[in-house]
Amino acid sequence: MAKVTNVLLVGVGGQGTILATRVLAGVLMQEGYDVKMSEVHGMSQRGGSVVTFVRYGDKVNSPLVEKATADLILAFEKLEALRYLPYLKPEGTLVVNDLAILPAPVLLGKAEYPYNALDILGQKVKDLVVVDAAKLAEEKTGNARTQNIVLLGALAKRLGIAPGTWEKAVSENVPPQTVDANLKAFWAGWDRGQV
């Protein structure tokens, strides 16, 4: 049976999760993989969860990733990392942004945010990469909006695909006036994505 790699990208509406997924899928197709992807939006325009499933390999039949089968999860926010952690296989990799976005129930005082999320993730995930993407984006590009590309860079280092392919895909998917900033953001993440 041909190997299929399962990736989840999870975040909150407005964080650039879909753009990062588009770049990832473009890179994988450029490398000749069969790629299937699916998006799920939960009130994403109002800060709800956004999750995309990306599966790639020689032959992929379905875009959906079952629980405990994800090889990689890229989480744009800590609570979303906890929410989708059941999808990660035991030896899988979790790259998580050190960022808390308070959901409506927390803002209304009806729930508490798990501020110890990184401690919980550290206890449950063997291969955990924590990235302060907002800080890196500000330092390298002067624009925190590029943090999605910082995170993509951290994930990219784990996929064994030539950096030039990533640069091309990032350049083709972001607005022309932001290419330089997004490439700087990508390399900041690449340097942070431990292997």
Side-chain angles (χ1 to χ4, degrees):
M1 177 184 246
K3 176 170 175 22
V4 173
T5 301
N6 299 319
V7 184
L8 264 68
L9 289 87
V10 300
V12 173
Q15 286 194 286
T17 309
I18 302 299
L19 173 64
T21 301
R22 225 173 32 229
V23 173
L24 172 62
V27 164
L28 296 170
M29 287 188 283
Q30 183 72 27
E31 290 293 300
Y33 291 109
D34 185 22
V35 180
K36 299 283 189 295
M37 59 179 276
S38 176
E39 303 168 3
V40 179
H41 306 247
M43 299 288 283
S44 60
Q45 297 301 317
R46 297 184 181 183
S49 289
V50 176
V51 59
T52 61
F53 300 99
V54 178
R55 302 185 74 218
Y56 69 96
D58 293 334
K59 178 66 179 164
V60 180
N61 295 316
S62 167
L64 300 180
V65 177
E66 295 182 10
K67 288 186 177 177
T69 65
D71 298 281
L72 296 150
I73 295 179
L74 179 58
F76 290 60
E77 196 274 334
K78 293 184 283 191
L79 178 58
E80 296 306 309
L82 284 174
R83 188 186 319 268
Y84 289 96
L85 188 59
Y87 283 85
L88 189 66
K89 63 171 59 170
E91 67 276 17
T93 298
L94 172 62
V95 178
V96 59
N97 192 5
D98 188 5
L99 176 72
I101 297 176
L102 303 184
V106 172
L107 294 172
L108 295 172
K110 295 181 178 177
E112 291 187 25
Y113 189 90
Y115 288 103
N116 62 342
L118 292 181
D119 294 334
I120 296 169
L121 294 169
Q123 293 168 7
K124 295 184 175 185
V125 179
K126 293 178 185 168
D127 189 12
L128 175 67
V129 179
V130 179
V131 180
D132 189 341
K135 181 179 176 186
L136 283 172
E138 281 286 347
E139 287 176 359
K140 301 296 182 181
T141 73
N143 185 347
R145 293 183 65 186
T146 61
Q147 63 184 290
N148 61 333
I149 302 299
V150 171
L151 292 165
L152 186 64
L155 176 75
K157 198 162 187 179
R158 300 296 181 122
L159 298 181
I161 296 171
T165 306
W166 288 100
E167 283 190 333
K168 182 175 184 288
V170 169
S171 299
E172 290 175 349
N173 282 283
V174 300
Q177 67 275 18
T178 68
V179 168
D180 288 344
N182 278 290
L183 289 177
K184 287 178 184 173
F186 177 82
W187 288 115
W190 178 276
D191 290 343
R192 183 62 185 88
Q194 311 150 8
V195 176

